[in-house]
Every structure is written in structure tokens, then in C-alpha cells.
């Protein structure tokens, strides 16, 4: 075989992996889009109101939400003070999620594409890269949590699992049994990642049938056996300004719990047939998450009465149970909850980002496989949990960026463009959303103004030995402060120095709505003339 033939076979093999855009795509080539990035066709808009209820029940009932109140009570709040902070926080984040979700349900484009409207075609990649790293990181952490569920399930069936000898060195930061359970959970989870976003709602239905009864049973056990327990009798130890700042910090912690979805919810609402269908999020989110946190408080309180220790981690609580059947089914419920949360909050999000970065080669399914491999086996979550607590705090404190990004996106759509977005132009690198070299300086300035006030507090969270004095207080309201500052700066600069080429009288959903000639800079003199006309309007 000649060198030329070898090169031809190589090109042919590479060509087989290329993806193609939808026939009706707005992108000029598969370099900029593929079928998973294009506008969601009407036949794939299958997420109705019931699906949204199930989606959020699926996301809410998990280990992280169960443990949400733990840090709040640890700093001196009572449960009566912590629970309102959780409820108010989820009401606020529900408004942000629903507002941004309505954009996705109207335009039917994913977050990486929508973000170009406010950040500019190329600067939008900053948000995409940031979020894909964050999603893979949390994918690994959630997978490790799932492995602990598997361990409890195996121990319930075969108690000898707890006595399997460890053949790994201490420096590995994981035991032989732990690694086995991690691999098993990853293996069980993997096929679920291959379910398309349009069909994954059936997994949410399964979780909605199995997990809520398990949570109710645990809460019933807590009150039936203890009547409430120690935590419900505890009073707060804070007063005055300390109480106020602690409550605001608890509120911020709640906002940070799902601040990522306040940014990338269009990845999911694009599959909604209407804005009305996704509006139910406003009601479901506060109720579901507050209920889950209350169950965590009740079960932890009961655990103290029974076992003499506060087990905020439900899996450690389950580890103390004598009833093997109850241990298995409770652990199974948490395992299913973790899989669904990992798919909805991390895997699909990362997949959309990978798709935006390399649309010629990666679609959502391939992106989810990459997330499973990198997030599951490259990041090594047990190493981070054991040795990189500072890095863990940094990732948890990423809300200092997410709040401003959400503020920019929401203010851009509702206050600046007033819903008038040119969807075809979102797919054109030299279209109206190019701004200046692909960067909207207004978004850059909004980030520059809104992020720094929270940096001292973030540094202190990473390393408490560094005294930042009063700099810790803005960090206690990081999401709200970042969101408000970014939205205000972006709106002000966009009104005073408007990007005229992006101001159009009404939304454009397809090329048919365009008059002869577009504002695309790739076009002819006619197109440039039309651009001037749009500016004058």
C-alpha cells in the first residue's frame, strides 16, 4: 500500500466521524453547528409540564440537597432560621431559572448558542469552557457519592463486603472496596448517559415513583421513633449582625446549589413546546428542595437520638441501620437519585458544551461519553475529596462567576433586546452578534465590575488562615451581588452605548423572516445596506 493510499484511508476514516448539521441549519458549515446544536425541531419539543415537575423532583431529591442545612446549623442557626433561608433561596433561584428558561423555550437553542447574543460569538466560549470544566468536576464528585450508595447496597446483601481486605496503599486515598464500588456505579450509570434528552424523561418518571416514597419513609421513621429529636429543640446561638450575615450566607449557599442551571437551563427548555410548560418550575423548585432539606434535618436529628452522633450524610446514617432490607432500598433510592441528578445537572450540560466547542466531531451522545471518561477517571474525585479541599472550596465558590453570567444573559434578553433576537445570526461567526472581534465589551466590563468584590471572600473560603477582614461580607451574598452588579452594568452600558447592529424591531426565528439581504458581514452590498436600515430603526 502506497503512502498516498494510506493517507486516503486515514482521511476516509476521519470523515466517517464527522457530523452534519440539520438540513435547515443556519450555520454555514459543520464547523459551527451540528444537529444537536441547531434549533430544536418541533417534533423533539417533548418536555411538557409534567416532565418539568418530574425533572425537578428528580434534581431535588439527592444527597447534596439532603445535606444542605448541615453547614447552616453548624454556624449557629436554628432549624427555624435555616429552613426559611433555604426556601427563600430557592424561590430566588427559581425566578432566575424560569426567566432564562423562558428564553430557551422561545428560541429553542442551547445555552452555548444563546450566550452569543450577550457575550459575542467568540467570548461566549469563555462561559462554555468554564462550565464544561465545572460540569465534569461535579460529575466525578456525584459519581463518587453514587459509589457510596453501591457500597451500602452490597453490604446490605452481603455483610462480608465490609470485611474485604484493602490492597491499595494509603496514598491512593481510596480502598479496594471503594474503587470496586466506584467502578460498579460508573458502569451502571454509563448506559443511562446514552439516552437522548428527549427520552431521558422516562428516567425521571422512574425516580419520581421510587425516590419520594423512600424520603417519606425516612421522615416517617424519624418522627415515629423520636418525635423529632434534639435538632428541633435546639435554639440558634447567634444574634444581631452576626445572625444577619449568617442567614445571608445560608441564603447564598442555597443559591449556589443550583446556580449552574440558572445559566444553562436553555439546554433543557429548548425541548419545551411552550414557555407556559416550563413556568411550573417557579412552584416546583422551592417546594421540592425545601422538603428535601427538611427530611435531612429530621433524619439527622433522629440519628443523634439513636446513635449519639449527627450523621448529615444519609449514607453514614444508613450504615448504622440494622434492617438490611431498609438499608438496601434506601441506598438504592439514593443511587437512582444520584444518577438522575448527574445526568440532568452535569452530563447533558457538559455534552452541550463539548458540542459547541467541536460541533464537527462531537454531538450530545459523544459529549456525554467524554464527560463520563474525563469526569469519572481523569479528575479522580476521591483524590480531590481527600487532599484538595481548597480546590473543592474554589469550585464550590464558582458562583462568583455564575451569578454575573446569569445577570448578563437575563438583562440582555429582557431589558436590552426585549426579546428581539435574530436566531439565524447566532450561528454566524460574522453575523450581527460578532460585536467587536467576536467580543461584546459590555459583557466583559460587567464581569470586571461584578466579580472582584467577591474574590477576597473566596480566597478566605479556600484558605481560612488568610484574613481578609471585611472582604468576607460581600462573599456572603456573592450570587445576589454578582447578579445585580452585572445586570446593572450591562444594561446601563448597552443603553448608553448600544450595539446598533444587534437592535432589531422583532425576533427573527428563521431566514424566511428576513427581508432581502441580512446584516451578515459575510454578505453583499445589499446586506450592508439592510444593516444600515436596521440600525436606523
Amino acid at each position: 500500500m502506497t503512502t498516498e493510499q494510506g493517507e486516503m484511508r486515514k482521511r476516509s476514516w476521519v470523515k466517517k466521524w464527522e457530523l452534519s448539521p440539520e438540513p435547515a441549519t443556519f450555520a454555514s458549515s459543520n464547523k459551527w453547528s451540528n444537529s444537536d446544536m441547531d434549533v430544536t425541531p418541533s417534533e423533539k419539543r417533548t418536555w411538557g409540564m409534567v416532565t418539568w415537575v418530574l425533572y425537578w423532583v428528580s434534581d431535588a431529591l439527592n444527597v447534596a440537597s439532603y445535606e444542605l442545612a448541615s453547614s447552616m446549623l453548624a454556624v449557629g442557626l436554628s432549624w427555624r432560621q435555616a429552613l426559611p433561608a433555604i426556601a427563600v433561596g430557592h424561590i430566588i433561584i427559581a425566578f432566575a431559572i424560569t426567566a432564562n428558561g423562558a428564553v430557551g423555550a422561545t428560541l429553542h437553542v442551547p445555552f452555548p448558542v444563546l450566550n452569543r447574543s450577550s457575550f459575542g460569538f467568540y467570548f461566549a466560549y469563555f462561559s462554555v469552557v468554564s462550565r464544561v470544566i465545572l460540569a465534569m468536576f461535579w460529575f466525578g464528585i456525584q459519581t463518587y457519592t453514587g459509589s457510596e450508595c453501591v457500597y451500602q447496597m452490597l453490604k446490605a446483601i452481603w455483610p462480608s463486603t465490609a470485611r474485604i481486605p484493602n490492597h491499595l496503599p494509603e496514598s491512593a486515598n481510596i480502598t479496594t472496596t471503594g474503587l470496586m464500588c466506584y467502578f460498579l456505579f460508573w458502569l451502571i450509570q454509563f448506559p443511562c448517559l446514552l439516552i437522548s434528552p428527549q427520552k431521558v424523561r422516562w428516567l425521571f418518571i422512574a425516580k419520581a415513583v421510587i425516590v419520594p416514597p423512600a424520603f417519606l419513609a425516612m421522615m416517617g421513621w424519624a418522627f415515629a421513633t423520636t418525635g423529632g429529636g434534639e435538632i428541633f429543640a435546639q435554639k440558634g446561638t447567634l444574634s444581631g449582625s452576626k445572625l444577619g450575615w449568617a442567614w445571608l450566607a445560608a441564603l447564598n449557599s442555597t443559591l449556589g446549589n443550583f446556580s449552574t442551571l440558572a445559566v444553562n437551563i436553555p439546554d433543557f427548555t429548548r425541548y419545551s413546546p411552550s414557555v407556559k410548560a416550563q413556568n411550573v418550575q417557579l412552584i416546583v423548585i422551592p417546594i421540592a428542595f425545601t422538603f428535601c432539606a427538611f427530611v435531612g434535618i429530621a433524619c439527622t436529628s433522629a440519628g443523634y437520638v439513636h446513635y449519639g452522633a449527627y450523621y448529615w450524610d444519609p449514607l453514614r446514617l444508613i450504615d448504622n441501620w440494622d434492617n438490611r432490607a431498609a438499608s438496601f432500598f434506601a441506598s438504592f433510592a439514593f443511587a437512582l437519585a444520584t444518577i438522575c441528578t448527574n445526568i440532568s445537572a452535569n452530563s447533558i450540560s457538559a455534552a452541550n458544551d463539548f458540542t459547541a466547542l467541536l460541533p464537527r466531531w462531537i454531538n450530545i451522545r459523544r459529549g456525554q461519553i467524554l464527560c463520563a471518561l474525563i469526569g469519572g477517571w481523569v479528575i479522580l474525585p476521591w483524590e480531590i475529596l481527600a487532599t484538595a479541599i481548597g480546590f473543592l472550596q474554589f469550585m464550590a465558590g464558582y458562583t462568583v462567576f455564575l451569578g454575573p453570567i446569569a445577570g448578563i444573559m437575563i438583562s440582555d434578553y429582557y431589558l436590552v433586546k426585549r426579546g428581539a433576537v435574530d436566531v439565524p445570526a447566532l450561528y454566524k461567526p460574522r453575523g450581527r452578534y460578532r460585536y467587536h472581534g467576536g467580543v461584546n465589551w459590555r459583557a466583559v466590563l460587567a464581569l470586571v465590575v461584578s466579580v472582584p468584590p467577591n474574590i477576597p471572600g473566596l480566597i478566605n473560603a479556600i484558605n481560612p488562615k488568610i484574613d481578609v477582614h471585611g472582604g468576607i461580607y460581600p462573599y456572603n451574598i456573592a450570587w445576589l451581588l454578582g447578579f445585580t452588579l452585572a445586570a446593572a452594568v450591562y444594561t446601563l452600558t448597552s443603553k448608553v452605548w448600544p450595539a446598533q447592529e444587534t437592535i432589531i424591531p422583532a425576533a427573527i426565528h428563521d431566514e424566511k423572516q428576513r427581508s432581502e439581504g441580512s446584516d451578515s458581514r459575510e454578505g453583499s452590498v445589499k446586506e450592508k445596506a439592510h444593516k444600515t436600515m436596521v440600525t436606523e430603526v
Side-chain angles (χ1 to χ4, degrees), residues 54-190:
L54 296 175
Y55 173 86
W56 281 110
V57 169
S58 174
D59 261 8
L61 303 184
N62 60 64
V63 174
S65 299
Y66 178 101
E67 296 175 341
L68 191 56
S70 61
S71 60
M72 304 176 190
L73 272 64
V75 298
L77 295 179
S78 69
W79 75 272
R80 287 185 177 86
Q81 294 164 336
L83 210 60
I86 293 171
V88 172
H90 281 109
I91 290 171
I92 294 172
I93 206 70
F95 271 99
I97 288 173
T98 306
N100 224 0
V103 185
T106 301
L107 305 180
H108 301 288
V109 297
F111 156 75
V113 174
L114 175 62
N115 199 230
R116 296 167 182 171
S117 169
S118 52
F119 279 65
F121 194 90
Y122 291 117
F123 188 48
Y125 286 104
F126 163 76
S127 304
V128 172
V129 172
S130 301
R131 201 197 56 165
V132 73
I133 294 172
L134 192 68
M136 288 191 296
F137 168 83
W138 287 115
F139 179 91
I141 299 296
Q142 286 282 356
T143 302
Y144 186 79
T145 299
S147 73
E148 295 180 319
C149 300
V150 171
Y151 171 77
Q152 293 300 332
M153 291 163 65
L154 292 178
K155 189 166 76 71
I157 301 172
W158 299 288
S160 59
T161 301
R163 299 188 294 275
I164 294 176
N166 178 38
H167 299 289
L168 295 176
E170 187 176 348
S171 59
N173 295 312
I174 192 170
T175 64
T176 300
T177 306
L179 189 59
M180 175 189 72
C181 293
Y182 184 86
F183 175 73
L184 286 174
F185 182 81
W186 184 90
L187 202 62
I188 293 166
Q189 178 180 244
F190 188 79

Side-chain angles (χ1 to χ4, degrees), residues 357-371:
L357 294 172
L358 293 168
R360 185 177 179 182
W361 308 103
I362 300 177
N363 57 15
I364 288 179
R365 176 169 290 184
R366 293 178 186 179
Q368 287 185 283
I369 293 172
L370 276 177
C371 178

Side-chain angles (χ1 to χ4, degrees), residues 66-323:
Y66 178 101
E67 296 175 341
L68 191 56
S70 61
S71 60
M72 304 176 190
L73 272 64
V75 298
L77 295 179
S78 69
W79 75 272
R80 287 185 177 86
Q81 294 164 336
L83 210 60
I86 293 171
V88 172
H90 281 109
I91 290 171
I92 294 172
I93 206 70
F95 271 99
I97 288 173
T98 306
N100 224 0
V103 185
T106 301
L107 305 180
H108 301 288
V109 297
F111 156 75
V113 174
L114 175 62
N115 199 230
R116 296 167 182 171
S117 169
S118 52
F119 279 65
F121 194 90
Y122 291 117
F123 188 48
Y125 286 104
F126 163 76
S127 304
V128 172
V129 172
S130 301
R131 201 197 56 165
V132 73
I133 294 172
L134 192 68
M136 288 191 296
F137 168 83
W138 287 115
F139 179 91
I141 299 296
Q142 286 282 356
T143 302
Y144 186 79
T145 299
S147 73
E148 295 180 319
C149 300
V150 171
Y151 171 77
Q152 293 300 332
M153 291 163 65
L154 292 178
K155 189 166 76 71
I157 301 172
W158 299 288
S160 59
T161 301
R163 299 188 294 275
I164 294 176
N166 178 38
H167 299 289
L168 295 176
E170 187 176 348
S171 59
N173 295 312
I174 192 170
T175 64
T176 300
T177 306
L179 189 59
M180 175 189 72
C181 293
Y182 184 86
F183 175 73
L184 286 174
F185 182 81
W186 184 90
L187 202 62
I188 293 166
Q189 178 180 244
F190 188 79
C192 299
L193 305 180
L194 304 181
I195 304 172
S196 69
Q198 299 88 39
K199 297 178 180 179
V200 77
R201 67 185 189 279
W202 296 109
L203 195 60
F204 300 151
I205 291 173
K207 179 176 177 179
V209 171
I210 296 170
V211 178
F215 272 69
L216 288 170
M218 290 180 68
M219 186 173 69
W221 164 81
F223 283 104
T225 58
T226 66
E230 180 72 18
I231 288 180
F232 290 97
Q234 285 181 3
K235 295 182 178 180
T237 60
L238 302 175
S239 61
S241 61
K242 288 185 177 180
L243 172 60
W245 282 111
W247 195 88
L248 288 172
L251 178 71
N252 188 66
S253 175
T254 301
L255 291 167
N257 194 35
F258 269 85
S259 58
T260 305
L261 275 167
V263 169
N264 71 269
I265 191 64
D267 285 342
F268 302 94
T269 56
R270 62 185 292 208
Y271 300 108
S272 183
S274 66
V275 172
K276 185 179 179 181
Q278 66 95 45
N279 283 344
V280 73
Q281 296 178 107
L282 272 174
I283 301 170
V284 179
I285 292 173
I287 293 174
F289 281 91
T290 305
F291 166 73
C292 186
F294 180 76
V295 172
I297 293 172
C299 292
T300 302
S301 183
Y304 181 80
V305 174
H306 287 291
Y307 311 114
Y310 289 118
Y311 293 114
W312 282 104
D313 183 343
L315 299 169
R316 291 190 63 194
L317 176 66
I318 292 170
D319 192 48
N320 286 274
W321 289 358
D322 297 326
N323 190 316

Side-chain angles (χ1 to χ4, degrees), residues 347-463:
S347 177
I348 292 178
S349 301
N352 274 285
D353 294 332
F354 276 125
T355 300
L357 294 172
L358 293 168
R360 185 177 179 182
W361 308 103
I362 300 177
N363 57 15
I364 288 179
R365 176 169 290 184
R366 293 178 186 179
Q368 287 185 283
I369 293 172
L370 276 177
C371 178
L373 294 173
I374 299 173
W377 297 104
V378 176
I379 289 178
L380 301 179
W382 55 86
E383 291 283 355
I384 293 173
L385 291 169
T387 63
I389 300 302
F391 180 70
L392 189 65
Q393 288 292 342
F394 170 76
M395 297 303 285
Y398 200 75
T399 51
V400 301
F401 297 99
L402 295 176
I405 292 173
I408 291 169
M409 292 180 68
I410 291 173
S411 61
D412 176 71
Y413 184 78
Y414 291 99
L415 302 179
V416 177
K417 296 184 174 65
R418 297 183 180 276
V421 174
D422 184 348
V423 176
L426 293 172
Y427 292 87
K428 302 180 186 300
R430 300 190 66 82
R432 71 168 78 243
Y433 300 116
R434 180 175 173 82
Y435 293 98
H436 299 278
V439 177
N440 184 0
W441 65 265
R442 301 157 192 83
V444 175
L445 181 62
L447 289 174
V448 168
V449 171
S450 59
V451 172
N454 294 314
I455 296 300
L458 177 60
I459 292 172
N460 179 261
I462 296 171
N463 186 356

